[in-house]
Amino acid sequence: MTLLVIATYPVVDGPVLEGPVTIEPDGAIAIGGTRVPSSQGTSAMLGAAVQVAAHLGTPPPHALVAGDIGRGDGTRAVYERLSEAVKRIGPSVIAFHYMQPVMALMRKAVHELAEIAPDALLVADAGGMYAAKAAGLATRFELMTPDVGEVGFLADPEVTHPAYVSHYLFGNDGFDPVALAATAHETGGASRVLLIKGVRDHIAEYGAIAEVVDEPCVPELEAIGGTGDTVAGLASAFLAAGFPTVDAARCASLANREAGRAMGATPAMHASDLVAALPGVLADNLCRWGGACVV
Amino acid sequence: MALFARKDRKTAPGADEALGLFLFDAVNDALSAERVLKAAGYEVSLVAPPAHLRAGCDLSVALPRVEHIGAERELIDAGVPLREWVADAEGTAEVCDLVTSVDFGQWLMVRAGNMKIVVEKDTGLIVNTSGGGCPDIPYLNLALVGKRVDEVPRPKDLGYTLCGLMLDRAYQEVRAQLDAREMETVGVGGGAV
């Protein structure tokens, strides 16, 4: 029941960090005792995952990260350490997050994981999701968490990055998550379960919509960097706690939205504000949402 | 007289000419190449390379094949790392140019592709950036948030990936909208038409 997160943090030449993730008293994220910058991205994802583990009493997430500001150096360093770390930790869920989307590295990693951790559930968001889909490996994943633009990317077999997708990018002008989820599944661009983040969150299983979550509706969350990352962290942690994948996705969607409401979200707030609101939200609602008061 | 003088051609690449591609190992090298070649007068465009030439988060520069030699020398002289030239642009894809805005009252959010930037209208303060999934995006978030939009370097000059490029498009649009808003305010205050 351990979540391993494979990712990067935004520091030039930042060393490889590995260890359990904690939230410091001031809200900063620490990995193996070393603080990383608070930003959108993996620190937001990890913060949300820590709050779920703390609430459920499950082990905290374990992270393997390195500094990378977009040059790919940290991404390569993390991939080099991945197999050894997986063998030692034995995670039940492995989540790929902010990484340089290099298809060859993802292919090698997924191939190795099939050998050394065949039962581990794979999750992908952000650059990890871009690489998995572009490399033709999406179907090897249990869960991906695209937003409305990224599901168009998953549904288009010809593109390797969301920057090349123009259709339905913002969830309007004919955006149809039902059709896009089905197309992504049929063309091999989707994981078994998709959590499509938007004004309405759609959860698809094998390409068919299983759940729709649209309350509470907090439009300001779209403007806050990292609030999609917190959804990915919540879902990954629920999955590692043993929730069925669709339930993990639904509880993640509900918790993120409720936290946005509870914090009184404005476009000038930050993902760390949402992470700070999660303990109260989980305590007040998770039993009702998921029937999982104690794992 | 220089054999390869600076270009002064204004027709769009590909309008009636066969195109080729410069390929790069890093997106920021492609962005540098675009900047160098445009400054030299070449009409170039940033595109995704064809599927069989892609390695991941790829961006290439398309220009007419006939201009390959002179353009390559410009890049070498400027120290832009170049992987190779491919004399066939079949199967390329354009970068998304879809840009929209959301008015949150005190704040303005502009989306470009999968990237977003949010500014406080009255101060020009960047209060958030979001979207994307490449590692330079959290880095850009730290570099930009909390600073005025007219006082920060362009995301294109700080970032390294396609996500960074899309954030640059949002940045340009938000600056244009704030400039227009300021002009409107000055016009009203000064009695201008």
Side-chain angles (χ1 to χ4, degrees):
Chain A
M1 293 181 50
T2 299
L3 166 64
L4 173 63
V5 177
I6 312 300
T8 62
Y9 63 97
V11 173
V12 180
D13 298 329
V16 173
L17 302 175
E18 192 211 312
V21 184
T22 52
I23 300 178
E24 303 285 284
D26 65 355
I29 299 299
I31 297 168
T34 302
R35 295 161 66 101
V36 295
S38 180
S39 171
Q40 70 165 116
T42 298
S43 65
M45 189 265 199
L46 291 173
V50 168
Q51 300 290 33
V52 170
H55 177 77
L56 295 175
T58 54
H62 195 99
L64 170 60
V65 299
D68 195 331
I69 62 166
R71 299 189 293 219
D73 48 348
T75 297
R76 285 186 284 276
V78 164
Y79 274 117
E80 283 174 11
R81 296 273 290 269
L82 177 60
S83 289
E84 183 277 324
V86 168
K87 287 176 186 170
R88 177 165 35 84
I89 298 160
S92 58
V93 175
I94 302 171
F96 293 82
H97 204 232
Y98 269 74
M99 308 182 79
Q100 196 83 333
V102 181
M103 291 186 276
L105 294 174
M106 179 58 82
R107 283 194 189 99
K108 181 171 181 289
V110 170
H111 177 74
E112 288 176 353
L113 291 175
E115 297 291 321
I116 62 176
D119 296 329
L121 299 177
L122 303 184
V123 176
D125 183 42
M129 179 173 67
Y130 302 171
K133 184 270 181 180
L137 296 167
T139 57
R140 304 283 286 274
F141 282 70
E142 174 67 8
L143 175 67
M144 290 178 170
T145 53
D147 62 23
V148 292
E150 290 166 339
V151 72
F153 157 69
L154 297 183
D156 187 337
E158 299 300 319
V159 299
T160 54
H161 192 284
Y164 296 114
V165 180
S166 296
H167 304 297
Y168 316 124
L169 204 51
F170 307 127
N172 49 18
D173 297 334
F175 171 72
D176 184 352
V178 178
L180 290 172
T183 302
H185 174 69
E186 289 162 7
T187 57
S191 53
R192 192 182 75 78
V193 175
L194 289 179
L195 168 49
I196 304 167
K197 301 170 289 194
V199 175
R200 307 178 80 202
D201 294 335
H202 292 77
I203 300 163
E205 187 173 25
Y206 293 118
I209 299 300
E211 300 266 4
V212 177
V213 180
D214 55 10
E215 293 291 340
C217 184
V218 187
E220 291 80 4
L221 284 180
E222 186 194 357
I224 301 174
T227 53
D229 303 316
T230 51
V231 172
L234 289 161
S236 299
F238 286 132
L239 198 57
F243 283 34
T245 309
V246 170
D247 288 347
R250 180 171 51 82
C251 289
S253 172
L254 286 164
N256 211 63
R257 287 167 174 269
E258 187 60 30
R261 187 199 60 74
M263 71 196 237
T266 76
M269 296 178 86
H270 301 291
S272 55
D273 299 312
L274 191 148
V275 169
L278 282 171
V281 166
L282 295 172
D284 291 345
N285 298 284
L286 188 60
C287 289
R288 181 166 55 87
W289 293 334
C293 298
V294 178
V295 173
Chain B
M1 186 181 98
L3 275 176
F4 296 95
R6 289 170 67 86
K7 304 293 296 180
D8 192 25
R9 191 178 51 77
K10 296 298 179 190
T11 53
D16 53 7
E17 299 171 85
L19 298 180
L21 298 173
F22 283 122
L23 303 180
F24 304 88
D25 288 326
V27 168
N28 59 313
D29 292 337
L31 297 175
S32 298
E34 182 206 27
R35 192 162 49 241
V36 166
L37 294 176
K38 282 191 170 176
Y42 289 90
E43 292 284 344
V44 301
S45 58
L46 293 168
V47 297
H52 67 283
L53 295 172
R54 293 175 197 161
C57 184
D58 290 36
L59 192 61
S60 58
V61 171
L63 78 164
R65 288 180 201 167
V66 68
E67 297 178 341
H68 158 215
I69 298 299
E72 183 166 324
R73 187 173 46 245
E74 292 280 356
L75 297 179
I76 292 169
D77 288 349
V80 178
L82 177 64
R83 190 201 305 163
E84 63 177 309
W85 164 261
V86 179
D88 182 4
E90 187 74 22
T92 58
E94 297 288 333
V95 177
C96 171
D97 59 359
L98 192 56
V99 178
T100 62
S101 303
V102 178
D103 190 335
F104 281 106
Q106 184 181 346
W107 300 278
L108 171 68
M109 178 172 76
V110 173
R111 306 182 184 109
N114 57 331
M115 296 305 308
K116 288 156 268 187
I117 188 167
V118 187
V119 297
E120 188 176 50
K121 291 178 189 171
D122 287 344
T123 62
L125 200 67
I126 301 170
V127 297
N128 255 305
T129 60
S130 60
C134 296
D136 56 343
I137 295 309
Y139 172 69
L140 287 165
N141 180 269
L142 288 171
L144 300 177
V145 171
K147 301 185 175 111
R148 281 171 48 108
V149 70
D150 57 350
E151 292 178 344
V152 294
R154 286 180 58 170
K156 189 176 181 177
D157 296 330
L158 290 173
Y160 293 86
T161 69
L162 286 168
C163 293
L165 177 64
M166 298 312 294
L167 185 61
D168 189 80
R169 294 195 175 190
Y171 165 88
Q172 286 181 282
E173 175 63 21
V174 87
R175 283 207 64 169
Q177 290 199 32
L178 289 185
D179 287 348
R181 186 171 183 268
E182 189 173 331
M183 291 284 287
E184 201 171 89
T185 304
V186 169
V188 171
V193 177

